[in-house]
Amino acid sequence: MEIGLIFKIAAVGILVTILSQILKHSGREEHAFLISLAGLILVLSWIVPYIYDLFDTVQTLFSF
């Protein structure tokens, strides 16, 4: 796993947190939820290939 990916995930987390707090304080809870959901989907799209590689490695390790 690259260190750049960890920094990108942290940046998305910080940005989503700030935007969610701003939207919640302005009374737009629905938009804050959508921002959080979009951040989650974005991060999951970055993580899924690494999870696939992990399962592939585990399957290769335990296959006889």
Side-chain angles (χ1 to χ4, degrees):
M1 184 179 291
E2 306 155 359
I3 193 75
L5 180 64
I6 295 172
F7 286 135
K8 286 196 301 189
I9 292 171
V12 168
I14 292 168
L15 187 63
V16 164
T17 302
I18 292 170
L19 289 175
S20 292
Q21 290 298 318
I22 291 171
L23 289 171
K24 282 182 184 179
H25 287 296
S26 67
R28 297 180 179 174
E29 287 83 15
E30 299 88 12
H31 289 101
F33 174 74
L34 290 176
I35 291 289
S36 299
L37 186 63
L40 178 67
I41 291 171
L42 179 65
V43 169
L44 282 177
S45 69
W46 291 338
I47 296 292
V48 166
Y50 293 102
I51 295 172
Y52 176 78
D53 289 341
L54 173 68
F55 286 144
D56 191 40
T57 303
V58 169
Q59 182 182 10
T60 303
L61 181 68
F62 289 112
S63 67
F64 296 110

Coordinates of all heavy atoms in Angstrom, one line a residue:
M1 N 0.8 -1.2 0.0 CA 0.0 0.0 0.0 C 0.9 1.2 0.0 O 1.9 1.3 0.7 CB -0.9 0.0 1.2 CG -1.9 1.1 1.2 SD -3.0 1.2 2.6 CE -4.0 -0.2 2.3
E2 N 0.5 2.2 -0.8 CA 1.3 3.4 -0.9 C 1.0 4.4 0.2 O -0.1 4.5 0.6 CB 1.0 4.0 -2.3 CG 1.2 3.1 -3.5 CD 0.3 3.5 -4.6 OE1 -0.4 4.5 -4.5 OE2 0.4 2.8 -5.6
I3 N 2.0 5.1 0.6 CA 1.8 6.2 1.6 C 0.9 7.3 1.1 O 0.2 7.9 1.8 CB 3.2 6.6 2.1 CG1 3.0 7.5 3.4 CG2 3.9 7.5 1.1 CD1 2.6 6.7 4.6
G4 N 1.0 7.5 -0.3 CA 0.2 8.6 -0.9 C -1.3 8.3 -0.7 O -2.1 9.2 -0.6
L5 N -1.7 7.0 -0.8 CA -3.1 6.6 -0.7 C -3.6 7.0 0.7 O -4.7 7.5 0.9 CB -3.2 5.1 -0.9 CG -4.7 4.6 -0.8 CD1 -5.6 5.2 -1.9 CD2 -4.6 3.1 -0.9
I6 N -2.7 6.7 1.7 CA -3.1 7.1 3.1 C -3.3 8.6 3.3 O -4.3 9.0 3.9 CB -2.1 6.5 4.1 CG1 -2.1 5.0 4.0 CG2 -2.3 7.0 5.5 CD1 -1.0 4.3 4.8
F7 N -2.5 9.4 2.7 CA -2.6 10.8 2.7 C -3.9 11.3 2.0 O -4.5 12.2 2.5 CB -1.4 11.5 2.2 CG -0.2 11.4 3.1 CD1 1.1 11.1 2.6 CD2 -0.3 11.7 4.4 CE1 2.2 11.1 3.4 CE2 0.8 11.6 5.3 CZ 2.1 11.3 4.7
K8 N -4.2 10.6 0.9 CA -5.4 11.0 0.1 C -6.6 10.7 1.0 O -7.6 11.5 1.0 CB -5.5 10.3 -1.2 CG -4.5 10.8 -2.2 CD -4.8 10.4 -3.6 CE -4.8 8.9 -3.8 NZ -4.9 8.5 -5.3
I9 N -6.6 9.5 1.6 CA -7.8 9.1 2.5 C -7.9 10.1 3.6 O -9.0 10.5 4.0 CB -7.6 7.7 3.0 CG1 -7.8 6.7 1.8 CG2 -8.7 7.4 4.0 CD1 -7.4 5.3 2.1
A10 N -6.8 10.5 4.2 CA -6.9 11.5 5.3 C -7.4 12.8 4.8 O -8.2 13.5 5.5 CB -5.5 11.6 6.0
A11 N -7.0 13.2 3.7 CA -7.4 14.5 3.1 C -8.9 14.5 2.9 O -9.6 15.5 3.2 CB -6.6 14.9 1.9
V12 N -9.4 13.4 2.3 CA -10.8 13.3 2.1 C -11.6 13.3 3.4 O -12.6 13.9 3.5 CB -11.2 12.0 1.2 CG1 -12.6 11.7 1.2 CG2 -10.6 12.1 -0.2
G13 N -11.1 12.6 4.4 CA -11.7 12.6 5.7 C -11.8 14.0 6.3 O -12.9 14.3 6.9
I14 N -10.7 14.7 6.2 CA -10.7 16.1 6.8 C -11.7 17.0 6.0 O -12.5 17.7 6.6 CB -9.3 16.6 6.8 CG1 -8.4 15.9 7.8 CG2 -9.3 18.1 7.1 CD1 -6.9 16.2 7.7
L15 N -11.7 16.9 4.7 CA -12.5 17.7 3.9 C -14.0 17.4 4.1 O -14.8 18.3 4.3 CB -12.2 17.5 2.4 CG -12.9 18.4 1.4 CD1 -12.5 19.9 1.7 CD2 -12.5 18.0 0.0
V16 N -14.3 16.1 4.2 CA -15.7 15.7 4.4 C -16.2 16.1 5.8 O -17.3 16.6 6.0 CB -15.8 14.2 4.3 CG1 -17.1 13.6 4.9 CG2 -15.8 13.8 2.8
T17 N -15.3 16.0 6.8 CA -15.7 16.5 8.2 C -16.0 18.0 8.2 O -17.0 18.4 8.8 CB -14.5 16.1 9.1 OG1 -14.3 14.7 9.1 CG2 -14.9 16.5 10.6
I18 N -15.1 18.7 7.6 CA -15.3 20.2 7.6 C -16.6 20.6 6.9 O -17.4 21.4 7.3 CB -14.1 20.9 7.0 CG1 -12.9 20.8 7.9 CG2 -14.4 22.4 6.7 CD1 -11.6 21.2 7.3
L19 N -16.8 20.0 5.7 CA -18.0 20.3 4.9 C -19.3 19.8 5.6 O -20.3 20.6 5.6 CB -17.9 19.7 3.5 CG -16.9 20.3 2.6 CD1 -16.9 19.5 1.3 CD2 -17.3 21.7 2.3
S20 N -19.2 18.7 6.3 CA -20.4 18.2 7.0 C -20.7 19.1 8.1 O -21.9 19.4 8.4 CB -20.1 16.8 7.5 OG -20.0 15.9 6.4
Q21 N -19.7 19.6 8.9 CA -20.0 20.4 10.0 C -20.6 21.8 9.5 O -21.5 22.3 10.2 CB -18.7 20.7 10.8 CG -18.2 19.5 11.6 CD -19.2 19.0 12.6 OE1 -19.8 19.8 13.3 NE2 -19.4 17.7 12.7
I22 N -20.0 22.3 8.5 CA -20.6 23.6 7.9 C -22.0 23.4 7.5 O -22.9 24.2 7.8 CB -19.7 24.1 6.8 CG1 -18.3 24.5 7.3 CG2 -20.4 25.2 6.0 CD1 -17.3 24.8 6.2
L23 N -22.3 22.3 6.8 CA -23.7 22.1 6.3 C -24.6 21.8 7.5 O -25.8 22.2 7.4 CB -23.7 20.9 5.3 CG -23.0 21.2 3.9 CD1 -22.9 20.0 3.1 CD2 -23.9 22.3 3.2
K24 N -24.2 21.1 8.5 CA -25.1 20.8 9.6 C -25.4 22.0 10.4 O -26.6 22.2 10.8 CB -24.4 19.8 10.6 CG -24.5 18.3 10.0 CD -23.9 17.4 11.0 CE -23.9 16.0 10.5 NZ -23.3 15.0 11.4
H25 N -24.5 22.9 10.5 CA -24.7 24.2 11.3 C -25.6 25.1 10.5 O -26.2 26.0 11.1 CB -23.4 24.8 11.7 CG -22.7 24.1 12.8 ND1 -23.2 24.0 14.1 CD2 -21.5 23.5 12.8 CE1 -22.4 23.3 14.8 NE2 -21.4 23.0 14.1
S26 N -25.6 25.0 9.2 CA -26.5 25.8 8.4 C -27.8 25.2 8.1 O -28.7 25.8 7.4 CB -25.8 26.1 7.0 OG -25.7 25.0 6.2
G27 N -28.1 24.0 8.7 CA -29.4 23.4 8.7 C -29.6 22.5 7.5 O -30.8 22.2 7.1
R28 N -28.6 22.1 6.8 CA -28.7 21.2 5.6 C -28.2 19.8 6.0 O -27.2 19.4 5.4 CB -28.0 21.8 4.5 CG -28.5 23.2 4.1 CD -27.8 23.7 2.9 NE -28.4 25.0 2.5 CZ -27.9 25.7 1.6 NH1 -26.7 25.4 1.0 NH2 -28.4 26.9 1.3
E29 N -28.8 19.1 6.8 CA -28.4 17.8 7.3 C -28.4 16.8 6.1 O -27.6 15.9 6.1 CB -29.3 17.3 8.4 CG -29.0 18.0 9.7 CD -29.8 19.3 9.9 OE1 -30.7 19.5 9.1 OE2 -29.4 20.1 10.8
E30 N -29.4 17.0 5.2 CA -29.4 16.0 4.1 C -28.2 16.1 3.2 O -27.6 15.1 2.7 CB -30.7 16.3 3.2 CG -32.0 16.1 4.0 CD -32.4 17.4 4.7 OE1 -31.8 18.5 4.4 OE2 -33.3 17.3 5.6
H31 N -27.8 17.4 2.9 CA -26.6 17.6 2.1 C -25.3 17.1 2.8 O -24.4 16.5 2.2 CB -26.4 19.1 1.8 CG -27.5 19.5 0.8 ND1 -28.6 20.2 1.2 CD2 -27.6 19.4 -0.6 CE1 -29.3 20.5 0.1 NE2 -28.7 20.0 -0.9
A32 N -25.3 17.3 4.1 CA -24.1 16.8 4.9 C -24.1 15.2 4.8 O -23.0 14.7 4.7 CB -24.3 17.2 6.4
F33 N -25.2 14.6 4.9 CA -25.2 13.1 4.7 C -24.7 12.7 3.3 O -24.0 11.7 3.2 CB -26.6 12.6 5.0 CG -26.8 11.1 4.7 CD1 -26.3 10.2 5.6 CD2 -27.4 10.7 3.6 CE1 -26.4 8.8 5.3 CE2 -27.6 9.3 3.3 CZ -27.0 8.4 4.2
L34 N -25.2 13.4 2.3 CA -24.8 13.1 0.9 C -23.3 13.3 0.7 O -22.6 12.5 0.0 CB -25.6 13.9 -0.1 CG -27.0 13.5 -0.2 CD1 -27.8 14.4 -1.2 CD2 -27.2 12.0 -0.6
I35 N -22.7 14.3 1.4 CA -21.3 14.6 1.3 C -20.5 13.4 2.0 O -19.5 12.9 1.4 CB -20.9 15.9 1.9 CG1 -21.4 17.1 1.1 CG2 -19.4 16.1 2.2 CD1 -20.7 17.3 -0.2
S36 N -21.0 13.0 3.1 CA -20.4 11.9 3.8 C -20.4 10.6 3.0 O -19.5 9.8 2.9 CB -21.0 11.7 5.2 OG -20.9 12.8 6.0
L37 N -21.6 10.4 2.4 CA -21.8 9.2 1.6 C -20.8 9.2 0.3 O -20.2 8.2 0.0 CB -23.2 9.1 1.1 CG -23.6 7.8 0.4 CD1 -23.4 6.6 1.3 CD2 -25.1 7.9 -0.1
A38 N -20.7 10.4 -0.3 CA -19.8 10.5 -1.4 C -18.4 10.3 -1.1 O -17.6 9.7 -1.8 CB -20.0 11.9 -2.1
G39 N -18.0 10.8 0.1 CA -16.6 10.6 0.6 C -16.4 9.1 0.8 O -15.3 8.6 0.5
L40 N -17.3 8.4 1.4 CA -17.2 7.0 1.7 C -17.1 6.2 0.4 O -16.2 5.3 0.2 CB -18.4 6.5 2.5 CG -18.4 5.0 2.8 CD1 -17.3 4.6 3.7 CD2 -19.8 4.6 3.3
I41 N -17.9 6.5 -0.6 CA -17.8 5.8 -1.9 C -16.5 6.1 -2.6 O -15.9 5.2 -3.2 CB -19.0 6.2 -2.8 CG1 -20.3 5.7 -2.2 CG2 -18.8 5.8 -4.2 CD1 -21.6 6.2 -2.8
L42 N -16.0 7.3 -2.5 CA -14.7 7.6 -3.1 C -13.6 6.8 -2.5 O -12.8 6.2 -3.2 CB -14.5 9.1 -3.0 CG -13.2 9.7 -3.6 CD1 -13.1 9.5 -5.1 CD2 -13.0 11.1 -3.2
V43 N -13.6 6.8 -1.2 CA -12.5 6.1 -0.5 C -12.6 4.6 -0.8 O -11.6 3.9 -1.0 CB -12.5 6.4 1.0 CG1 -11.6 5.5 1.8 CG2 -12.1 7.8 1.2
L44 N -13.8 4.0 -0.8 CA -14.0 2.6 -1.0 C -13.6 2.3 -2.5 O -13.0 1.2 -2.7 CB -15.5 2.2 -0.8 CG -15.9 2.0 0.6 CD1 -17.4 1.6 0.7 CD2 -15.1 0.9 1.3
S45 N -13.8 3.2 -3.4 CA -13.3 2.9 -4.8 C -11.8 2.9 -4.9 O -11.2 2.2 -5.7 CB -13.9 3.9 -5.7 OG -13.3 5.2 -5.5
W46 N -11.1 3.5 -4.0 CA -9.6 3.5 -3.9 C -9.2 2.2 -3.2 O -8.1 1.7 -3.5 CB -9.1 4.7 -3.2 CG -9.2 6.0 -3.9 CD1 -9.4 6.2 -5.2 CD2 -9.2 7.3 -3.3 NE1 -9.5 7.5 -5.5 CE2 -9.3 8.2 -4.4 CE3 -9.0 7.7 -2.0 CZ2 -9.4 9.6 -4.1 CZ3 -9.0 9.1 -1.8 CH2 -9.2 10.0 -2.8
I47 N -9.9 1.7 -2.2 CA -9.5 0.6 -1.4 C -9.8 -0.8 -2.0 O -9.1 -1.7 -1.7 CB -10.2 0.8 0.0 CG1 -9.7 2.0 0.7 CG2 -9.9 -0.4 0.9 CD1 -8.2 2.0 1.1
V48 N -10.9 -0.9 -2.8 CA -11.4 -2.2 -3.3 C -10.3 -2.9 -4.0 O -10.1 -4.2 -3.8 CB -12.6 -2.0 -4.2 CG1 -12.9 -3.2 -5.0 CG2 -13.8 -1.6 -3.3
P49 N -9.4 -2.3 -4.9 CA -8.4 -3.2 -5.5 C -7.4 -3.8 -4.5 O -6.9 -4.9 -4.7 CB -7.7 -2.2 -6.4 CG -8.6 -1.1 -6.7 CD -9.5 -1.0 -5.4
Y50 N -7.1 -3.1 -3.4 CA -6.2 -3.6 -2.4 C -6.9 -4.8 -1.7 O -6.2 -5.7 -1.3 CB -5.7 -2.5 -1.5 CG -4.9 -1.5 -2.1 CD1 -5.4 -0.3 -2.5 CD2 -3.5 -1.8 -2.4 CE1 -4.6 0.7 -3.1 CE2 -2.7 -0.9 -3.0 CZ -3.2 0.4 -3.4 OH -2.4 1.3 -4.0
I51 N -8.2 -4.7 -1.4 CA -8.9 -5.7 -0.7 C -8.9 -7.0 -1.7 O -8.8 -8.1 -1.2 CB -10.3 -5.3 -0.3 CG1 -10.2 -4.2 0.7 CG2 -11.1 -6.5 0.2 CD1 -11.5 -3.6 1.1
Y52 N -9.1 -6.8 -2.9 CA -9.1 -7.9 -3.9 C -7.8 -8.6 -3.9 O -7.7 -9.8 -3.9 CB -9.5 -7.4 -5.3 CG -9.4 -8.4 -6.4 CD1 -10.4 -9.4 -6.5 CD2 -8.3 -8.5 -7.2 CE1 -10.4 -10.4 -7.4 CE2 -8.2 -9.5 -8.2 CZ -9.3 -10.4 -8.3 OH -9.2 -11.4 -9.2
D53 N -6.7 -7.8 -3.9 CA -5.4 -8.4 -3.9 C -5.1 -9.2 -2.6 O -4.5 -10.2 -2.6 CB -4.3 -7.3 -4.0 CG -4.2 -6.7 -5.4 OD1 -4.7 -7.4 -6.4 OD2 -3.7 -5.6 -5.6
L54 N -5.6 -8.7 -1.5 CA -5.5 -9.4 -0.2 C -6.2 -10.7 -0.3 O -5.6 -11.7 0.1 CB -6.1 -8.5 0.9 CG -6.2 -9.2 2.3 CD1 -4.8 -9.5 2.8 CD2 -7.0 -8.4 3.2
F55 N -7.4 -10.7 -0.8 CA -8.2 -12.0 -0.8 C -7.5 -13.0 -1.8 O -7.5 -14.2 -1.6 CB -9.6 -11.8 -1.2 CG -10.4 -11.2 -0.1 CD1 -11.4 -10.3 -0.3 CD2 -10.2 -11.6 1.2 CE1 -12.2 -9.8 0.7 CE2 -11.0 -11.2 2.3 CZ -12.0 -10.3 2.0
D56 N -7.0 -12.4 -2.9 CA -6.3 -13.3 -3.9 C -5.0 -13.9 -3.3 O -4.7 -15.1 -3.5 CB -5.9 -12.4 -5.1 CG -5.5 -13.3 -6.3 OD1 -6.1 -14.4 -6.5 OD2 -4.5 -12.9 -7.0
T57 N -4.3 -13.1 -2.5 CA -3.1 -13.6 -1.9 C -3.4 -14.7 -0.8 O -2.7 -15.7 -0.7 CB -2.3 -12.4 -1.2 OG1 -2.0 -11.5 -2.2 CG2 -1.1 -12.9 -0.5
V58 N -4.5 -14.4 0.0 CA -4.9 -15.4 1.0 C -5.3 -16.7 0.3 O -5.0 -17.8 0.7 CB -6.0 -14.8 1.9 CG1 -6.6 -15.9 2.7 CG2 -5.5 -13.7 2.7
Q59 N -6.1 -16.6 -0.8 CA -6.5 -17.8 -1.5 C -5.3 -18.6 -2.1 O -5.3 -19.8 -2.0 CB -7.5 -17.4 -2.7 CG -8.0 -18.6 -3.4 CD -8.9 -18.2 -4.6 OE1 -9.0 -17.0 -4.9 NE2 -9.6 -19.1 -5.2
T60 N -4.3 -17.9 -2.6 CA -3.1 -18.5 -3.2 C -2.3 -19.1 -2.0 O -1.8 -20.2 -2.2 CB -2.2 -17.4 -3.9 OG1 -3.0 -16.8 -4.9 CG2 -1.0 -18.1 -4.5
L61 N -2.3 -18.5 -0.9 CA -1.6 -19.0 0.2 C -2.1 -20.4 0.8 O -1.4 -21.3 1.1 CB -1.5 -18.0 1.4 CG -0.8 -18.4 2.6 CD1 0.7 -18.5 2.4 CD2 -1.1 -17.4 3.7
F62 N -3.5 -20.5 0.8 CA -4.1 -21.6 1.4 C -4.5 -22.7 0.3 O -5.1 -23.7 0.7 CB -5.3 -21.2 2.2 CG -5.0 -20.6 3.5 CD1 -5.2 -19.2 3.7 CD2 -4.3 -21.3 4.5 CE1 -4.9 -18.6 4.9 CE2 -3.9 -20.6 5.7 CZ -4.2 -19.3 5.8
S63 N -4.3 -22.4 -0.9 CA -4.6 -23.5 -1.9 C -3.5 -24.5 -2.0 O -2.3 -24.1 -1.9 CB -4.9 -22.8 -3.3 OG -3.7 -22.3 -3.8
F64 N -3.8 -25.7 -2.2 CA -2.8 -26.8 -2.2 C -2.5 -27.2 -3.5 O -3.2 -27.6 -4.4 CB -3.3 -28.0 -1.3 CG -3.5 -27.6 0.1 CD1 -4.7 -27.5 0.7 CD2 -2.4 -27.3 0.9 CE1 -4.9 -27.2 2.0 CE2 -2.5 -27.0 2.2 CZ -3.8 -26.9 2.8

